[in-house]
Amino acid sequence: MKTAHLRPELSRPHLARRVAAEFVGTGLLVTVVVGSGIAAQQLSAGDAGLQLLENSIATALGLVVLILMLGPVSGAHFNPVVSIADWLIGRRGNGLPGRDLGPYLLAQIGGGIAGTLLAGVMFDTAPALSTTDRASGGHLVGEVVATAGLVLLIFALARSGRSEVTAAAVGAYIGAAYWFTSSTSFANPAVTIARTFTDTFAGIAPASVAPFILAQLVGAALGLGLLFVFYPTAARTAGNVVIPVEAP
Amino acid sequence: MKTAHLRPELSRPHLARRVAAEFVGTGLLVTVVVGSGIAAQQLSAGDAGLQLLENSIATALGLVVLILMLGPVSGAHFNPVVSIADWLIGRRGNGLPGRDLGPYLLAQIGGGIAGTLLAGVMFDTAPALSTTDRASGGHLVGEVVATAGLVLLIFALARSGRSEVTAAAVGAYIGAAYWFTSSTSFANPAVTIARTFTDTFAGIAPASVAPFILAQLVGAALGLGLLFVFYPTAARTAGNVVIPVEAP
Amino acid sequence: MKTAHLRPELSRPHLARRVAAEFVGTGLLVTVVVGSGIAAQQLSAGDAGLQLLENSIATALGLVVLILMLGPVSGAHFNPVVSIADWLIGRRGNGLPGRDLGPYLLAQIGGGIAGTLLAGVMFDTAPALSTTDRASGGHLVGEVVATAGLVLLIFALARSGRSEVTAAAVGAYIGAAYWFTSSTSFANPAVTIARTFTDTFAGIAPASVAPFILAQLVGAALGLGLLFVFYPTAARTAGNVVIPVEAP
Amino acid sequence: MKTAHLRPELSRPHLARRVAAEFVGTGLLVTVVVGSGIAAQQLSAGDAGLQLLENSIATALGLVVLILMLGPVSGAHFNPVVSIADWLIGRRGNGLPGRDLGPYLLAQIGGGIAGTLLAGVMFDTAPALSTTDRASGGHLVGEVVATAGLVLLIFALARSGRSEVTAAAVGAYIGAAYWFTSSTSFANPAVTIARTFTDTFAGIAPASVAPFILAQLVGAALGLGLLFVFYPTAARTAGNVVIPVEAP
């Protein structure tokens, strides 16, 4: 890690590996969200509460695993707002280099869409644009809160040298946020886009995407603001925020 | 930590940061409790058991995360009885200084109320005083037991040098106490006050607040009594009980 | 711990403290089991599966917490078969001294009964002998399996120097064993006796107690047999099996 | 561990102990899967979603415990594709020796069948060939995905020196995969074979076994392919993949 501070570019896996990890990780995250949503919808028809319980438990567990699985490769962002925040606050240190930001975001968006399609193949559900409108005022406040909390959590743990608990903490956070936000906590622009391509439990209508993403960006900014209130020296230790990236 | 014992005031973040952390942390804790209660009530209408299961799982997970997120800033008390106990048993060491106690309590109470309001905004639920009377004899015994266990747990872990598991342990404790106490384990005066301002699943009628808080104070005293039975030398290591506070 | 091997009696808290910890810990364990059972029965009336899910999750979480809370005091046995096994395989090392075995067992049985009564006070349920017969052949095999697994787990972790995960592992084990054994995994003679004094969800008829305890003893013997197959040198490191006991 | 790299055969328990551990561990894993499935079916009749929730939670918790319990003995593979992958990628290091592969696989298959029978004894359910056909196209894709993820997870953690979280991660993975794959994630040829011998919730018709195992082998190959993309130097550190094997 000493070396990482001096010449971070030497301690990262090749960009192609990292981008592949963001593609596969975001993809499988969406597969977990959409797939478990379809399973819940089929098995607990008519019981919306039980469906969300099943969907939220599966997502929380799956997210922990995916961060553990791919964190050392790419940092396991799986989320454009995390990559953007990492770049923003780590620009003078070992945050995500600006030249890597575009590839990360494209991989997350493309991977997410692939993840929706994979869930559809497994559950014999044809791809279709979602008809579930979600962009009410309360839901948008929910997305602001959910994303602010997520960004604050990830960088607070990085800032205080506790990234070894980030995987479990992020899983627990999303598991709770499914319930305490009215929007069921998308908190992720790539996942939001990907979830438009399925007209099942976890879908979101295309018309709701732009307001959701805007709310998520506002939430990310709020989360970074709170980070500087609570952990004012964060910028010096930014980088590798979800899981420390190690050279292979 | 050596320095902390000699001049603890030097190792803590500024009081304003710590008070802000208690405000935000207690607020989000109440948002989790009230918000997930509303979601459970809406999605699992008519199934009280499933509602409490959803509410308790979300609260347990959310509490773990909030303690991890803000513990290094303020100690993540989020609870007046924890702050009072920390001050009482740590007066000769590095417990909460007496001059900080008032600001901590005000932040917890104010933050909790703000948390109820935030949940209402997200779920489009107008604030209203709760009409749920909870102050039966059995429920008050429940609050004594719940608070005694919580105080004993937090300080037992601090006393035996295992504060790194406190976040997970406190979350697990509350998750269980929702079920094994008849009162669903408020165990927190600030949260009790805050929960009067919503007439939804997690609400409590104002008339029940005073007996609940009295029972919680009795429970806290009982918990400290048990602490001195089981960990008689606790006073020497008190302070920073939930998560060690680190200088930023 | 070096000292503990030479003069273990110097490194343990006074017997009175340890016995009090076994009384309180076993008592609260039974309060969790019986109390959450009553809550589940009241809130999810008519849905036996959901009741057991609520009861098992609360018990698993509560057990983890109690072991963490009191492990450093008494070892957090809370179970006569664990105390007996600790004495048996640790006789030449730092296992439970023979003279402490009687007080441990009495504290566990007395504490368990007190725990049932406390649950009854909280839930306004009068004590009554259970009328739930449980001693079928399949259930007794279930108790053998459940207790063998519990004993093997605890001492395997102690044997391999991983006692820091014992609290979580024992909680997870009981959470699973509620479901994979037909008897819902009592696996504990003191808890079995205590559960005769409530005619609610978690009760067991007095006539079923003797066969259950016999099955548990057979299971404990089987568990120790498997321990010596898998960890043949266990005897050298026995003692302080659930959580290392530390001097206060 | 240094010694293990030079002369791995000296650091492993005797083959008989390891094979016994694979037999008992795979057996109890199947007992957990089949037993909790029967319990769920009996207690939550008519509610397929709740049944799967109960079954998946019990399995996830039980799997964590079994890996912790027996990992130091045999590596806690409990799964032919894990043993085969360990042998394949560790052939030049300290992977499973080729001469041990046959005994491991036989123990896993035999243990699994014994586990089904034990569940039947506990729940008074006669053994019978399952009549549940599962081999649809979507389910087979599910098995490919489930097994690829499992293999990638286990060896990614081993590759990056984090095997201490493997037990929890594998349990979480299977808990999620029950829901996000359409096949409920068998991902294990030995468990697949064993589950043909019960005509209850967790059963699988014999005619579905061959396609399932084929899909699992394809998934394992895919998982290894992804491993070499993300962790290209894995081969050097293969061996003892689930839990480091220690000499007793």
Side-chain angles (χ1 to χ4, degrees):
Chain A
M1 290 301 286
K2 293 291 185 187
T3 310
H5 281 273
L6 295 173
R7 304 186 61 182
E9 70 281 7
L10 290 185
S11 70
R12 298 176 188 274
H14 190 281
L15 179 61
R17 288 191 205 283
R18 288 185 288 130
V19 164
E22 289 294 310
F23 183 92
V24 168
T26 313
L28 288 177
L29 172 57
V30 172
T31 302
V32 172
V33 171
V34 173
S36 67
I38 297 173
Q41 198 173 27
Q42 292 179 345
L43 295 172
S44 299
D47 190 337
L50 191 52
Q51 288 171 16
L52 193 67
L53 185 63
E54 293 157 355
N55 189 216
S56 62
I57 290 176
T59 302
L61 294 177
L63 185 49
V64 174
V65 168
L66 291 170
I67 295 174
L68 289 173
M69 185 190 278
L70 294 171
V73 182
S74 68
H77 298 180
F78 307 157
N79 188 339
V81 300
V82 173
S83 296
I84 292 169
D86 190 32
W87 165 67
L88 273 176
I89 69 176
R91 277 176 297 176
R92 290 165 301 185
N94 61 344
L96 190 70
R99 65 181 177 276
D100 295 352
L101 187 59
Y104 262 59
L105 267 54
L106 288 175
Q108 291 159 355
I109 294 169
I113 294 169
T116 298
L117 300 180
L118 176 58
V121 170
M122 285 198 290
F123 285 93
D124 287 323
T125 305
L129 289 178
S130 171
T131 56
T132 308
D133 285 315
R134 295 183 185 262
S136 73
H139 286 202
L140 295 178
V141 176
E143 284 303 298
V144 171
V145 172
T147 313
L150 179 64
V151 167
L152 175 56
L153 174 64
I154 290 172
F155 290 92
L157 293 175
R159 163 65 190 89
S160 53
R162 293 174 296 154
S163 289
E164 76 279 4
V165 303
T166 298
V170 168
Y173 178 78
I174 295 296
Y178 258 83
W179 288 95
F180 78 76
T181 69
S182 54
S183 62
T184 68
S185 186
F186 283 56
N188 185 327
V191 169
T192 303
I193 292 169
R195 287 167 67 169
T196 60
F197 294 100
T198 182
D199 197 17
T200 60
F201 185 74
I204 179 171
S208 300
V209 167
F212 260 53
I213 290 178
L214 188 63
Q216 290 159 3
L217 292 173
V218 171
L222 177 59
L224 286 180
L226 290 171
L227 180 73
F228 286 104
V229 170
F230 295 132
Y231 295 89
T233 56
R236 288 186 298 173
T237 56
N240 304 338
V241 290
V242 178
I243 291 283
V245 175
E246 297 167 15
Chain B
M1 291 300 286
K2 294 291 185 186
T3 309
H5 281 271
L6 296 173
R7 303 186 63 183
E9 71 279 6
L10 291 185
S11 71
R12 297 175 188 277
H14 189 281
L15 179 61
R17 287 190 206 283
R18 288 185 287 132
V19 164
E22 289 294 310
F23 182 93
V24 169
T26 313
L28 288 177
L29 172 57
V30 172
T31 302
V32 172
V33 171
V34 173
S36 67
I38 296 173
Q41 198 173 27
Q42 291 179 346
L43 295 172
S44 299
D47 190 337
L50 191 52
Q51 287 172 17
L52 193 67
L53 185 64
E54 294 157 356
N55 189 215
S56 61
I57 290 176
T59 302
L61 294 177
L63 186 49
V64 174
V65 167
L66 291 170
I67 295 174
L68 289 172
M69 185 190 278
L70 294 170
V73 182
S74 68
H77 296 181
F78 309 157
N79 188 338
V81 301
V82 173
S83 296
I84 293 170
D86 190 31
W87 165 66
L88 272 176
I89 68 176
R91 276 176 299 177
R92 290 166 301 186
N94 61 345
L96 190 70
R99 65 181 177 278
D100 295 352
L101 187 58
Y104 262 58
L105 268 54
L106 287 174
Q108 290 159 356
I109 294 169
I113 294 170
T116 297
L117 300 180
L118 176 58
V121 170
M122 286 197 290
F123 285 93
D124 287 323
T125 305
L129 289 178
S130 171
T131 56
T132 308
D133 286 314
R134 295 182 185 262
S136 72
H139 286 202
L140 295 178
V141 175
E143 285 302 298
V144 171
V145 171
T147 314
L150 179 64
V151 167
L152 175 56
L153 175 64
I154 290 172
F155 290 92
L157 293 174
R159 163 63 189 90
S160 51
R162 292 173 296 155
S163 290
E164 75 279 3
V165 303
T166 299
V170 168
Y173 179 78
I174 294 297
Y178 258 84
W179 288 96
F180 79 77
T181 68
S182 53
S183 62
T184 67
S185 186
F186 283 57
N188 184 327
V191 170
T192 304
I193 292 169
R195 287 167 66 169
T196 61
F197 295 99
T198 181
D199 197 16
T200 60
F201 184 74
I204 178 170
S208 300
V209 167
F212 260 54
I213 291 179
L214 189 63
Q216 290 159 3
L217 292 172
V218 171
L222 177 58
L224 287 180
L226 289 171
L227 180 72
F228 287 103
V229 170
F230 295 132
Y231 295 90
T233 56
R236 288 187 299 174
T237 56
N240 305 337
V241 291
V242 178
I243 291 282
V245 175
E246 297 168 15
Chain C
M1 291 302 287
K2 294 292 184 185
T3 309
H5 282 271
L6 296 173
R7 303 185 62 183
E9 72 279 6
L10 291 185
S11 70
R12 297 175 187 276
H14 189 281
L15 179 61
R17 288 191 206 282
R18 289 185 285 133
V19 164
E22 289 293 310
F23 182 93
V24 168
T26 313
L28 288 177
L29 172 58
V30 172
T31 302
V32 173
V33 171
V34 173
S36 67
I38 296 173
Q41 199 173 27
Q42 292 180 346
L43 295 173
S44 299
D47 190 336
L50 191 52
Q51 288 172 16
L52 193 67
L53 185 64
E54 294 158 354
N55 189 215
S56 62
I57 290 176
T59 301
L61 294 177
L63 185 49
V64 173
V65 168
L66 291 170
I67 295 174
L68 289 173
M69 184 191 278
L70 294 171
V73 183
S74 69
H77 297 180
F78 309 158
N79 188 336
V81 301
V82 173
S83 296
I84 292 170
D86 189 31
W87 164 67
L88 272 176
I89 68 175
R91 276 177 298 177
R92 289 165 302 185
N94 62 345
L96 189 70
R99 63 180 179 278
D100 296 352
L101 187 59
Y104 261 59
L105 267 54
L106 288 174
Q108 291 159 355
I109 294 169
I113 294 171
T116 298
L117 300 180
L118 176 58
V121 169
M122 286 198 290
F123 286 92
D124 287 323
T125 305
L129 289 178
S130 171
T131 56
T132 307
D133 285 314
R134 294 182 186 263
S136 73
H139 287 202
L140 295 179
V141 175
E143 285 302 298
V144 171
V145 171
T147 314
L150 179 64
V151 167
L152 175 57
L153 174 65
I154 291 172
F155 290 92
L157 293 174
R159 163 65 190 89
S160 51
R162 293 174 296 155
S163 290
E164 76 280 3
V165 302
T166 299
V170 168
Y173 178 78
I174 294 297
Y178 259 83
W179 288 95
F180 78 76
T181 67
S182 54
S183 62
T184 68
S185 185
F186 282 58
N188 184 327
V191 169
T192 304
I193 292 170
R195 287 168 65 168
T196 61
F197 294 100
T198 183
D199 197 15
T200 61
F201 184 75
I204 179 171
S208 300
V209 168
F212 260 55
I213 291 180
L214 189 62
Q216 290 159 4
L217 292 173
V218 171
L222 177 59
L224 287 180
L226 289 170
L227 180 72
F228 286 104
V229 170
F230 294 131
Y231 295 90
T233 56
R236 288 186 298 174
T237 56
N240 306 336
V241 290
V242 178
I243 291 284
V245 174
E246 298 168 12
Chain D
M1 292 302 287
K2 294 292 186 186
T3 309
H5 282 272
L6 295 172
R7 304 184 62 182
E9 72 280 6
L10 290 184
S11 70
R12 298 175 187 276
H14 189 281
L15 179 61
R17 288 192 205 283
R18 289 185 287 132
V19 164
E22 289 294 309
F23 183 92
V24 168
T26 313
L28 288 177
L29 172 58
V30 173
T31 302
V32 172
V33 172
V34 173
S36 67
I38 297 173
Q41 198 173 26
Q42 292 179 346
L43 295 172
S44 299
D47 191 336
L50 192 52
Q51 287 171 16
L52 193 68
L53 185 63
E54 294 157 355
N55 189 215
S56 61
I57 291 176
T59 301
L61 294 176
L63 185 49
V64 174
V65 168
L66 291 171
I67 295 173
L68 289 173
M69 185 191 277
L70 294 171
V73 182
S74 68
H77 297 181
F78 308 158
N79 189 337
V81 299
V82 174
S83 296
I84 292 169
D86 190 32
W87 165 67
L88 272 176
I89 69 176
R91 276 176 298 176
R92 289 165 302 184
N94 61 344
L96 189 70
R99 64 180 177 278
D100 296 353
L101 187 59
Y104 263 57
L105 267 54
L106 288 174
Q108 290 160 355
I109 294 169
I113 294 170
T116 297
L117 300 180
L118 176 59
V121 169
M122 287 199 290
F123 285 92
D124 287 324
T125 305
L129 288 179
S130 171
T131 56
T132 308
D133 285 313
R134 295 182 185 262
S136 73
H139 287 202
L140 294 179
V141 176
E143 285 302 297
V144 171
V145 172
T147 312
L150 178 65
V151 167
L152 174 57
L153 175 64
I154 291 172
F155 290 92
L157 293 175
R159 163 65 189 87
S160 52
R162 294 174 296 154
S163 291
E164 74 280 2
V165 304
T166 299
V170 168
Y173 178 79
I174 294 296
Y178 258 83
W179 288 95
F180 78 76
T181 66
S182 54
S183 61
T184 69
S185 184
F186 283 58
N188 184 327
V191 169
T192 303
I193 292 169
R195 287 167 67 169
T196 60
F197 294 100
T198 182
D199 196 17
T200 61
F201 184 74
I204 179 171
S208 300
V209 168
F212 260 53
I213 291 180
L214 188 62
Q216 291 159 2
L217 292 173
V218 171
L222 176 59
L224 287 180
L226 289 170
L227 180 73
F228 286 103
V229 170
F230 295 132
Y231 295 90
T233 56
R236 287 186 298 171
T237 57
N240 304 336
V241 290
V242 179
I243 291 283
V245 174
E246 299 168 12

